[in-house]
Amino acid sequence: MCGIVGLFLKDRTLEPKLGDMLSDMLITMTDRGPDSAGIAIYGAASAKGTKLTIQSSAPETDFADLAQKLASSGIQADVTVKSTHAVIETEAAADEVRSFLTDKPSMRVMGVGDNVEIYKETGLPKDVVERFGVRAMGGTHGIGHTRMATESAVTTLGAHPFSTGPDQCLVHNGSLSNHNNLRRELVRGGMRFETENDSEVAAAYLTSEMAKGKDLGAALEGALGDLDGFFTFVVGTKSGFGVVRDPIACKPAVMAETDQYVAFGSEYRALVNLPGIETARVWEPEPATVYFWDHEKAA
Amino acid sequence: MTVFDLSSATLRDLNSALHAIADGANDTEFEVVNPRGSHAVAVGIAKPVSVEVHGSVGYYCAGMNDGGTVTVHGSAGPGVAENMMSGTVVIEGDASQYAGATGRGGLLVIKGNAASRCGISMKGIDIVVHGSIGHMSAFMGQSGHLVVLGDAGDALGDSLYEAKLFVRGTVKSLGADCIEKEMRPEHIAKLGELLDKAGVTDVRPEEFKRYGSARKLYNFNIDNADAY
């Protein structure tokens, strides 16, 4: 099954409540998949430049003195530790931090960008949300996922969202059938993979298409032709938010739009606490139809 | 009138009360408030009760209904009125996928649109949709009627048996072995009766086209009968 949610705010006064609203939406979807949960929040840009969200299987040792360890490798950075994750904010290039991490396999990069922070772990959504203090996080848009694993193991790295490019992330309900072949093609094209998960392939596909100059909408149109299987995707970029379902459309999806927000839920239940939902335009996204919104294009 | 507020009462309370009604009971009117997308609201009704649901419901509302009248003043999630036996289910808003699936009898009225697979494997139910329906609707429909005032999506009536389909708008594509058929007087009469029952007053049966099985697939060929 899996449960997915997304929230794209139009009304800036709601931004401080993004984490709180998204947490409620995700927790409501717990019974669609209790294996693991994750959330991506597009928050304020770092004054330093780049944000990297790092996950560690040994946070006590890895994160102790992480800022000093980075400094001794010539990377000046602020480090904020949240349970098993740490956010590194730095003026250095993301690749410098990646090089620093190459001989430290207990630490993995969850996401990189100007705005995005990604938190994911095994366990119930309510525990994951609590552990990372998601409710206190503000932002412009975010997506979340609660997983019932099918195509790969129940691990932190198998949890969603998947991020394969700067400020890009994806959550998926469904299963892909051509992911192995597509992964080989993407690897040949220079994409890097952390897992054997099918959804990571979808994320990398979109990253690869956008790197060719497509916008999110055009990349999602391409996915309809190039990805085989069942999918409802919710995707975030630095300023955009997109939704697409495969042509069979057996994975559920409900959307709501008001002057204040665009919201996505696997079920209507996820949306019932949103402000003004009683009078919102509520609809089921059509099969094989791309929906996307962009803060920059709206501005 | 018994009122269940699902923000405080449990779904089990509601459905148990609906199942506990004795034959000939007088107190058969129920109201449900704050359903907030709950699953399985008013399933398994087996008595002629009336249930008014104020708000939208999730999966499988009014499933297996046998004789009840359930009205949802909102939209319904997947599988509304699945396997209905008899009675009436009315959705004032939209319905998600496989509305009325496998229904054996009764009337399902959807005043908005229905998504994909509406009436899949229908076995005697009558479904009237005021809006449009999605792809693969009435797939393997065996009997009953599907009436659509709007348009139908791809692959309407794929692998159809004897269900009768009436569409007023356009059909994006017909499924395997589904063809347009002549509207004879008995079809006009039946359609008029169904529109009446569904409360449709501004539309004439003559505005519809009828679709049904061409009966050309394997199972319709007598030469295949000795395979068993």
Side-chain angles (χ1 to χ4, degrees):
Chain A
M1 287 214 296
C2 298
I4 54 182
V5 297
L7 187 58
F8 176 87
L9 298 178
K10 301 181 190 174
D11 178 353
R12 300 208 61 176
T13 64
L14 287 176
E15 289 181 6
K17 294 185 192 160
L18 178 74
D20 197 32
M21 293 160 83
L22 206 53
S23 295
D24 278 338
M25 293 168 71
L26 188 61
I27 290 168
T28 309
M29 290 291 94
T30 299
D31 51 13
R32 296 191 61 86
D35 296 341
S36 19
I39 211 151
I41 297 266
Y42 291 82
S46 165
K48 294 267 184 183
T50 301
K51 288 202 268 194
L52 293 95
T53 315
I54 308 293
Q55 184 266 350
S56 169
S57 54
E60 296 81 9
T61 48
D62 281 343
F63 294 160
D65 309 326
L66 180 58
Q68 287 93 317
K69 288 180 214 159
L70 283 160
S72 59
S73 296
I75 301 167
Q76 301 303 322
D78 293 343
V79 175
T80 311
V81 176
K82 289 182 182 170
S83 182
T84 55
H85 287 46
V87 177
I88 297 174
E89 297 178 52
T90 179
E91 288 170 11
D95 279 346
E96 288 181 54
V97 180
R98 284 189 193 273
S99 316
F100 166 82
L101 293 171
T102 43
D103 61 346
K104 301 172 185 66
S106 56
M107 283 193 274
R108 307 280 195 122
V109 178
M110 297 283 105
V112 176
D114 295 339
N115 302 88
V116 77
E117 293 177 26
I118 295 178
Y119 301 91
K120 57 189 189 183
E121 273 299 350
T122 54
L124 294 171
K126 74 174 173 52
D127 298 329
V128 173
V129 160
E130 173 77 31
R131 176 176 208 166
F132 298 115
V134 175
R135 287 191 184 278
M137 295 179 194
T140 51
H141 53 301
I143 63 178
H145 185 274
T146 178
R147 182 172 188 227
M148 183 173 282
T150 56
E151 299 287 302
S152 73
V154 179
T155 59
T156 303
L157 287 181
H160 303 219
F162 284 98
S163 179
T164 48
D167 279 318
Q168 295 168 8
C169 66
L170 168 145
V171 292
H172 174 202
N173 179 13
S175 54
L176 301 179
S177 37
N178 65 339
H179 59 101
N180 283 325
N181 195 49
L182 192 54
R183 187 185 294 107
R184 281 193 287 274
E185 290 176 12
L186 290 165
V187 166
R188 205 179 309 129
M191 293 301 300
R192 175 172 42 206
F193 287 87
E194 299 277 346
T195 72
E196 292 299 305
N197 185 283
D198 58 331
S199 309
E200 188 185 16
V201 176
Y205 169 83
L206 295 176
T207 297
S208 158
E209 291 301 297
M210 285 190 278
K212 294 175 191 166
K214 289 186 181 175
D215 67 9
L216 174 61
L220 289 170
E221 289 286 353
L224 285 167
D226 292 332
L227 297 180
D228 187 20
F230 296 114
F231 53 86
T232 295
F233 295 133
V234 181
V235 181
T237 64
K238 185 176 165 62
S239 60
F241 176 82
V243 172
V244 69
R245 305 172 78 195
D246 69 79
I248 304 290
C250 62
K251 295 299 177 186
V254 181
M255 300 202 66
E257 184 167 13
T258 71
D259 291 342
Q260 291 185 292
Y261 57 82
V262 179
F264 175 96
S266 289
E267 297 178 32
Y268 177 73
R269 282 188 301 156
L271 312 178
V272 294
N273 285 328
L274 293 174
I277 189 69
E278 302 78 15
T279 52
R281 181 170 84 95
V282 176
W283 79 102
E284 184 168 308
E286 293 284 329
T289 304
V290 171
Y291 297 82
F292 85 108
W293 290 262
D294 197 307
H295 278 126
E296 283 176 358
K297 288 187 180 166
Chain B
M1 172 80 76
T2 311
V3 179
F4 281 88
D5 182 343
L6 290 185
S7 63
S8 48
T10 66
L11 182 67
R12 177 79 64 180
D13 293 339
L14 165 68
N15 286 340
S16 301
L18 292 171
H19 300 165
I21 293 164
D23 280 328
N26 290 322
D27 192 6
T28 56
E29 304 215 335
F30 290 79
E31 203 171 277
V32 178
V33 296
N34 291 315
R36 297 162 63 83
S38 298
H39 300 178
V41 170
V43 297
I45 291 173
K47 295 285 178 341
V49 300
S50 153
V51 183
E52 299 279 329
V53 182
H54 297 280
S56 293
V57 293
Y59 283 81
Y60 306 123
C61 178
M64 302 176 282
N65 179 38
D66 194 359
T69 300
V70 178
T71 304
V72 177
H73 300 275
S75 291
V80 65
E82 188 171 74
N83 212 70
M84 175 150 60
M85 303 301 287
S86 66
T88 304
V89 175
V90 179
I91 308 301
E92 296 284 346
D94 299 326
S96 185
Q97 54 183 333
Y98 48 93
T102 77
R104 299 181 68 97
L107 174 68
L108 169 63
V109 179
I110 296 162
K111 296 204 175 166
N113 301 311
S116 61
R117 294 170 275 270
C118 179
I120 185 170
S121 197
M122 54 195 289
K123 300 178 176 77
I125 190 174
D126 293 324
I127 304 175
V128 179
V129 181
H130 289 217
S132 297
I133 59 172
H135 63 273
M136 292 301 282
S137 288
F139 175 63
M140 294 186 84
Q142 288 144 61
S143 63
H145 303 85
L146 172 62
V147 180
V148 183
L149 275 63
D151 303 328
D154 275 318
L156 176 71
D158 193 287
S159 308
L160 202 62
Y161 293 85
E162 297 303 314
K164 295 182 176 67
L165 318 180
F166 300 96
V167 182
R168 180 159 157 261
T170 59
V171 174
K172 197 167 176 199
S173 67
L174 292 172
D177 207 36
C178 182
I179 54 170
E180 187 183 337
K181 293 187 163 183
E182 175 196 9
M183 276 285 243
R184 295 195 298 267
E186 67 264 35
H187 303 125
I188 298 280
K190 181 68 191 179
L191 185 50
E193 178 199 317
L194 289 169
L195 290 171
D196 248 13
K197 276 167 76 177
V200 178
T201 52
D202 51 349
V203 170
R204 294 178 304 113
E206 291 79 6
E207 296 172 35
F208 290 76
K209 287 179 176 169
R210 178 169 75 103
Y211 302 88
S213 174
R215 304 190 184 95
K216 300 282 188 207
L217 292 186
Y218 175 93
N219 47 300
F220 291 104
N221 186 340
I222 191 66
D223 292 340
N224 294 320
D226 65 358
Y228 301 98

